Amino acid sequence: MFLLNNRPGKLVGAFAIVLVAAALLFNLLMHKFFVTELGPKISCSSFFLVQSDLQTKGVMSLHINGKRQGEMGISATVRDNAGAIKYHLLRNISFEYRYEDNGYLAIQLVDVIKKASDDMPNELFNQSIFDFSVKNRRLRITTVGDGYLLWNGFSPVMMCISSQ
């Protein structure tokens, strides 16, 4: 009699285990056969120089995982015409993107993290480095040898060398 009272509990436990195993198998099969990369995987870095009333000289790294997420790290020093340091720039930008044809990425959901030592005004950053304040931002990436050309809407603006 004791075994008969315990049988429903064992059946429920076995059913739960089978259900969890089926869910894990379904998830594995979906990722293996149906979830594909949405664009290239990119990991590169570049030196840059922006010359205007101020001179901004720095390094930018770009990492795109091929599955709608990317990250950009920017570090630079901004000097005036006399060569004196005006600002330090140290920002991490994480974003999601939608891959479009011909190497275009539509950048969305941008999160800009300004580090404690970064004292560059946001307006200057948007004017001279990269304007993430606009709602729809597109970036084009084309492969050139072991590097990449990063384009704005009109022309290439930076060469990024593979860091792998």
Side-chain angles (χ1 to χ4, degrees), residues 50 56 74 89 91 93 110 112 114 118 120-135 137:
V50 178
T56 306
I74 302 174
L89 169 63
R91 296 185 191 190
I93 299 107
V110 176
V112 179
K114 192 173 182 178
D118 185 333
M120 182 180 204
N122 292 335
E123 298 79 30
L124 181 59
F125 179 81
N126 291 340
Q127 289 172 357
S128 61
I129 306 297
F130 209 101
D131 188 2
F132 288 107
S133 67
V134 293
K135 186 169 182 122
R137 168 63 58 197

Side-chain angles (χ1 to χ4, degrees), residues 14 30 43 54 57 92 95 105:
M30 286 298 292
S43 183
L54 300 171
K57 190 176 185 180
N92 287 334
F95 57 89
L105 303 178

Side-chain angles (χ1 to χ4, degrees), residues 20-61:
V20 168
L24 290 173
L25 180 63
F26 177 78
N27 191 19
L28 176 71
L29 292 174
M30 286 298 292
H31 281 282
K32 182 154 180 79
F33 295 110
F34 297 108
V35 176
T36 58
E37 290 185 0
L38 304 170
K41 290 182 181 178
I42 295 173
S43 183
C44 64
S45 58
S46 177
F47 293 101
F48 68 92
L49 176 65
V50 178
Q51 191 73 37
S52 61
D53 294 342
L54 300 171
Q55 181 187 53
T56 306
K57 190 176 185 180
V59 178
M60 188 253 347
S61 64

Side-chain angles (χ1 to χ4, degrees), residues 62 64 68-72 93-100 103-112 130-141 150-151:
L62 175 66
I64 295 177
R68 295 188 178 151
Q69 294 178 333
E71 185 176 281
M72 191 179 292
I93 299 107
S94 59
F95 57 89
E96 291 183 11
Y97 66 89
R98 185 180 71 250
Y99 183 72
E100 300 174 348
Y104 283 98
L105 303 178
I107 297 175
Q108 313 160 354
L109 301 174
V110 176
D111 184 26
V112 179
F130 209 101
D131 188 2
F132 288 107
S133 67
V134 293
K135 186 169 182 122
N136 297 321
R137 168 63 58 197
R138 285 182 55 181
L139 176 67
R140 183 175 180 203
I141 302 173
L150 306 179
W151 300 62

